[in-house]
Amino acid sequence: KSAPGQAAVGRLLKLIASFYHGLAALQILRKKKSKVEMKEIARASLKALTAASDLSPINFKNKAELLEAELHRTEVVLRGNEEEKMHARKMYAKSVCSAEAAKFDHEKALALELAAHFYEENGELSNALRNFSEAKLHYTLWGSKVRVAQIEVAIARTETR
């Protein structure tokens, strides 16, 4: 490959890694509730993905929207703010739509799964089950038997609540 081509691939991989790093940082923050640097990692990831989304929305818009939804979810966990719940709902829905428009079944499944966890945490079990079921469908379309099995466990857990 040419040097410019390799540089472009490197930038793409860095953005994708930043997306997952931001998601992981927020999960840690929700569990530990004291790792302030985790929020900074997520905010930096969101900033990078938002800038990338401006240049290539088909590739990055859903990622930026999902990371923003997860930031709002984290604020709900940390502060219980109703306005943050509303923003999280809106951003999960946007991320699902953007992933669908880009034909990214795996990222649509991830957005649906994370939305389902958000709804489950907030006692909205019918919304959680609907999102888990749709996530299962899209993980199936993507071909991930492991993720399908994990979602089936989440569905069973949610149905017994």
Side-chain angles (χ1 to χ4, degrees):
K1 286 187 176 182
S2 67
Q6 287 177 336
V9 169
R11 285 190 301 272
L12 175 65
L13 293 176
K14 185 177 179 182
L15 284 165
I16 292 169
S18 179
F19 170 61
Y20 290 107
H21 191 203
L23 290 177
L26 290 171
Q27 185 171 13
I28 291 167
L29 181 60
R30 283 192 301 272
K31 290 183 185 214
K32 303 279 182 181
K33 297 183 182 168
S34 63
K35 301 283 184 183
V36 176
E37 66 272 16
M38 295 297 136
K39 189 182 282 187
E40 293 311 312
I41 289 168
R43 289 190 193 284
S45 296
L46 180 58
K47 183 178 179 182
L49 289 165
T50 300
S53 175
D54 290 343
L55 298 173
S56 181
I58 199 77
N59 289 311
F60 297 105
K61 186 177 181 189
N62 70 297
K63 293 172 185 67
E65 291 166 342
L66 183 55
L67 197 53
E68 186 175 341
E70 286 288 281
L71 267 166
H72 290 297
R73 175 184 173 193
T74 300
E75 290 299 323
V76 170
V77 169
L78 298 177
R79 293 178 180 72
N81 185 317
E82 288 299 317
E83 188 173 325
E84 294 291 347
K85 282 184 187 179
M86 179 188 68
H87 289 304
R89 285 184 190 95
K90 179 177 82 172
M91 294 314 297
Y92 283 122
K94 283 184 166 191
S95 180
V96 167
C97 288
S98 295
E100 183 173 359
K103 297 183 176 25
F104 294 159
D105 277 327
H106 62 300
E107 292 182 6
K108 181 176 180 181
L110 179 61
L112 288 161
E113 177 186 0
L114 293 176
H117 287 295
F118 165 77
Y119 288 123
E120 184 180 29
E121 290 166 1
N122 288 284
E124 299 177 45
L125 301 183
S126 62
N127 285 336
L129 285 168
R130 187 184 76 250
N131 279 270
F132 278 136
S133 295
E134 198 171 341
K136 178 182 168 185
L137 169 68
H138 288 281
Y139 281 130
T140 300
L141 292 171
W142 188 45
S144 180
K145 293 178 183 174
V146 171
R147 294 302 299 143
V148 168
Q150 291 170 336
I151 294 296
E152 287 172 344
V153 170
I155 290 171
R157 178 192 67 235
T158 305
E159 287 175 336
T160 61
R161 283 189 63 195

